[in-house]
Amino acid sequence: MSVTDTRGRPLRDLRISITDRCNFRCTYCMPKEVFGRDYEFLGRDQLLTFEEITRLARSFARHGVEKVRLTGGEPLVRRGVEELVAMLAEIPGLDLTLTTNGALLSQKARALAGAGLRRITVSLDSLDDDVFRAMNDADFPVERVLAGIEAAASAGLAPVKVNMVVRRSTNEDSILPMARYFRGTGHILRFIEYMDVGHTNGWRMDDVVPAQEIVDAIDRELPLEPADPNYRGEVAQRYRYRDGSGEIGLIASVTQPFCGNCTRARLSADGKLYTCLFAVKGHDLRALVRDGATDRELHEAISAVWGARTDRYSEIRSSKTAGLPKVEMSYIGG
Ligand SMILES: C[S@@+](CC[C@H](N)C(=O)[O-])C[C@H]1O[C@@H](n2cnc3c(N)ncnc32)[C@H](O)[C@@H]1O
Ligand code: SF4
């Protein structure tokens, strides 16, 4: 039975963070000054087990969730992630996908596809090795992420989506090289406006490169035309190259917010349900599960949270809201 919130939005997508750890330290997401040696990540017993995740995902599917995305932190650093994929792939009618930084993808692509993963999104912020190494702050080379993307495509996880977060004066010069490189490969490049998630990245509006500016820059060299959305509520705006060599997407969450169509819930690695990326407080589903809640009780708890949802942060974002306390993206699941 599907459930709608106070603004009539149904619950359709669920992002599950399966770990708050990561092998990168992207400066805009897990800056080293905060996520350094002394940072206390969640302990093993605090993480939802694969059985708990699967039970919750089934309950969400009964609420109308059609799409589940595994994320983190870096989902591929969680040991046995392919077993979790296999368990979730058994839930009927669920579109199962995963977002990764690609570092471990060459090794894992086959096992993930074999376990029932259908599609994958790989984050890559630049093709310039110096820029990329500086942004991931783990000295990780571009080449290995590119190899991961190819491994995913050959394993059948195609079309691969490639996400690039664009930050002014950091990687804006990489926009055109990325467009040129991925055009004609069958992979879909998507540009994401840098957002004020968490409270450690020191976000400023000046750091955002508006999606329209990105489209204009590409269009001047590689002519584009708008394409229709694939489905209602699709967050990426699609554009096609006029010469038929593929498409790109733009996720303009800052300059053109899409709260009105947002059908997404997030489950943190320790089992808290968040109804918005910018939420401050989560609802503890792990406690319910571990206290022996029945399926019905679990169902009712999720319905109650979603039914009371009012979130529209991106529509009311301002210089004032940017400073409000928020949870980190690596914890809540990007
Ligand atoms: C938090 S990561 C988790 C999955 C995986 N580690 C990865 O990097 O793909 C998910 C996505 O969020 C993006 N992201 C992180 N911080 C962001 C920010 N401040 N603004 C926009 N996107 C951000 C990342 O670039 C990545 O594409
Ligand atoms: S964006 Fe992904 S890869 Fe980068 S630090 Fe955050 S979780 Fe890790």
Side-chain angles (χ1 to χ4, degrees):
M1 236 225 344
S2 84
V3 52
T4 50
D5 70 7
T6 60
R7 303 178 77 212
R9 298 168 295 190
L11 172 54
R12 290 278 178 265
D13 317 87
L14 178 66
R15 294 201 170 199
I16 307 177
S17 170
I18 62 170
T19 176
D20 59 340
R21 292 169 199 254
C22 186
N23 42 3
F24 283 10
R25 285 291 176 276
C26 301
T27 47
Y28 54 76
C29 178
M30 295 180 76
K32 261 186 191 158
E33 312 84 79
V34 179
F35 296 88
R37 275 180 179 280
D38 298 335
Y39 186 82
E40 273 192 44
F41 289 98
L42 295 171
R44 205 179 159 71
D45 54 341
Q46 290 174 286
L47 295 180
L48 291 179
T49 64
F50 291 170
E51 287 71 20
E52 289 168 341
I53 292 174
T54 308
R55 179 165 178 223
L56 286 168
R58 280 189 192 279
S59 189
F60 277 96
R62 283 193 286 270
H63 282 89
V65 164
E66 296 162 349
K67 191 163 145 191
V68 165
R69 177 176 297 277
L70 299 182
T71 177
E74 172 48 40
L76 300 192
V77 303
R78 174 114 185 224
R79 197 173 308 149
V81 57
E82 47 280 63
E83 288 156 37
L84 174 63
V85 167
M87 289 162 75
L88 293 171
E90 283 187 11
I91 303 176
L94 214 57
D95 179 13
L96 185 59
T97 177
L98 180 149
T99 301
T100 173
N101 61 26
L104 297 171
L105 198 50
S106 295
Q107 284 145 260
K108 298 246 178 201
R110 257 175 203 289
L112 290 168
L117 193 71
R118 296 283 172 78
R119 295 180 298 112
I120 202 157
T121 300
V122 182
S123 304
L124 177 62
D125 295 332
S126 182
L127 288 174
D128 179 315
D129 208 45
D130 294 334
V131 173
F132 183 60
R133 283 178 197 255
M135 283 183 86
N136 66 53
D137 210 9
D139 208 24
F140 199 86
V142 171
E143 196 184 301
R144 284 175 56 196
V145 178
L146 294 176
I149 293 172
E150 294 319 314
S154 345
L157 300 171
V160 177
K161 287 186 183 150
V162 179
N163 277 359
M164 169 178 177
V165 174
V166 183
R167 197 172 177 181
R168 179 82 71 200
S169 311
T170 304
N171 64 338
E172 59 181 313
D173 291 346
S174 304
I175 295 170
L176 272 164
M178 288 279 284
R180 290 181 200 123
Y181 181 90
F182 286 106
R183 197 170 66 110
T185 58
H187 311 317
I188 302 172
L189 176 60
R190 304 183 328 156
F191 299 94
I192 303 180
E193 288 179 349
Y194 173 50
M195 288 184 291
D196 50 334
V197 275
H199 56 92
T200 55
N201 65 14
W203 183 90
R204 293 174 320 133
M205 190 67 199
D206 291 351
D207 292 335
V208 180
V209 180
Q212 192 57 49
E213 189 179 322
I214 300 174
V215 173
D216 293 345
I218 298 175
D219 182 57
R220 276 194 292 274
E221 178 181 320
L222 307 165
L224 291 167
E225 62 190 4
D228 290 334
N230 285 316
Y231 51 89
R232 182 180 164 263
E234 186 174 33
V235 295
Q237 300 163 18
R238 301 171 58 217
Y239 286 84
R240 262 192 301 266
Y241 292 112
R242 286 183 190 266
D243 66 2
S245 58
E247 67 174 77
I248 59 166
L250 287 114
I251 302 178
S253 22
V254 178
T255 60
Q256 299 164 54
F258 35 77
C259 301
N261 265 332
C262 178
T263 56
R264 183 175 295 169
R266 295 166 193 271
L267 189 60
S268 67
D270 59 352
K272 297 213 171 61
L273 172 60
Y274 289 87
T275 54
C276 176
L277 183 52
F278 299 96
V280 181
K281 193 177 150 290
H283 305 264
D284 194 353
L285 297 184
R286 188 190 67 189
L288 282 178
V289 170
R290 293 194 181 168
D291 287 348
T294 61
D295 285 350
R296 195 194 167 99
E297 285 164 344
L298 212 51
H299 189 94
E300 283 168 4
I302 295 171
S303 297
V305 171
W306 192 264
R309 178 181 189 243
T310 56
D311 309 276
R312 55 187 199 95
Y313 177 88
S314 291
E315 289 179 353
I316 55 171
R317 171 187 285 114
S318 68
S319 53
K320 290 203 185 81
T321 56
L324 292 175
K326 292 173 219 123
V327 289
E328 295 298 330
M329 193 134 167
S330 50
Y331 163 75
I332 196 176

